[in-house]
Amino acid sequence: MNPRLRAPTAADKKFKAEHGGMNRTEAAFAEHLRRRCERNEFLSYGFQQRSLPLVAGASYTPDFTVLENDNTVTYYEVKGAKRTTATKRFPLGSIVPLCTTAARLRIKVAASLYPGCRFIMTWPNRGEWMEKCYSAAARKGTK
C-alpha cells in the first residue's frame, strides 16, 4: 500500500457526508467552479453526474461535468497533489497529481472513446489549479 495514502478518519467521513460525498480537494474545486460559473465562464457544472462506459465492462465516473458556453462538455478529474523529489521528468519540489496508473489509464481511454468531450485532470498547487488535458484534440495539438 502507498504510505502516502491513509484510511479515511471519522473527520473525513463526516466532511464527505456534509459536502455531498466530496473530499476536501473536490470541495475546494467545486468552490472554484462555482466562482467561475458566477462569472459566466460556462453554463453549468455538477458533481459525479454520470458514469461513462469504457471497454470490457469498465466505467469511468468523472468528478465534475461542466457544460461550456458553446454546449460542449468538459469532464474534470480532481486529484490531490504531492511534492516530488528530483527526477528526470520533474525538478526537485515540483507539485504533481497524486494519481494511480489505473486512474490515468481510465481518463486516457475515456478521452479516446469520447472525442467530442474534453477530459482534464486537475490538482491544487499553491492556491491555483493545475491542469492536464487528455482530450483527443489536445493530443493533436489543436484546441
Side-chain angles (χ1 to χ4, degrees):
M1 182 174 175
N2 186 337
R4 296 184 65 90
L5 301 178
R6 59 176 175 73
T9 64
D12 293 333
K13 291 176 184 175
K14 181 180 177 190
F15 184 90
K16 276 191 155 194
E18 293 172 352
H19 290 84
M22 294 181 207
N23 63 35
R24 285 176 173 77
T25 308
E26 291 164 343
F29 190 70
E31 178 61 23
H32 170 73
L33 288 178
R34 185 192 63 76
R35 287 192 305 267
R36 288 184 56 204
C37 193
E38 286 177 351
R39 293 191 304 261
N40 297 318
E41 292 183 29
F42 51 82
L43 298 173
S44 65
Y45 69 97
F47 178 68
Q48 294 185 342
Q49 289 188 318
R50 68 181 291 207
S51 187
L52 304 171
L54 299 180
V55 293
S59 66
Y60 167 62
T61 305
D63 291 326
F64 290 93
T65 303
V66 172
L67 180 60
E68 304 289 349
N69 289 329
D70 62 359
N71 287 323
T72 58
V73 176
T74 301
Y75 294 108
Y76 285 91
E77 183 65 28
V78 179
K79 295 296 180 190
K82 66 178 180 178
R83 189 174 308 278
T84 64
T85 55
T87 66
K88 288 182 181 179
R89 289 182 58 201
F90 303 105
L92 178 64
S94 296
I95 305 295
V96 297
L98 186 58
C99 183
T100 65
T101 303
R104 279 194 178 89
L105 182 61
R106 281 183 193 246
I107 196 169
K108 287 178 182 180
V109 170
S112 68
L113 292 175
Y114 300 92
C117 302
R118 289 179 54 206
F119 291 84
I120 297 174
M121 183 180 294
T122 186
W123 63 95
N125 181 11
R126 298 180 180 105
E128 296 180 351
W129 289 95
M130 307 302 293
E131 294 183 350
K132 177 165 176 52
C133 187
Y134 287 92
S135 66
R139 287 192 302 273
K140 291 177 185 171
T142 61
K143 213 163 188 177

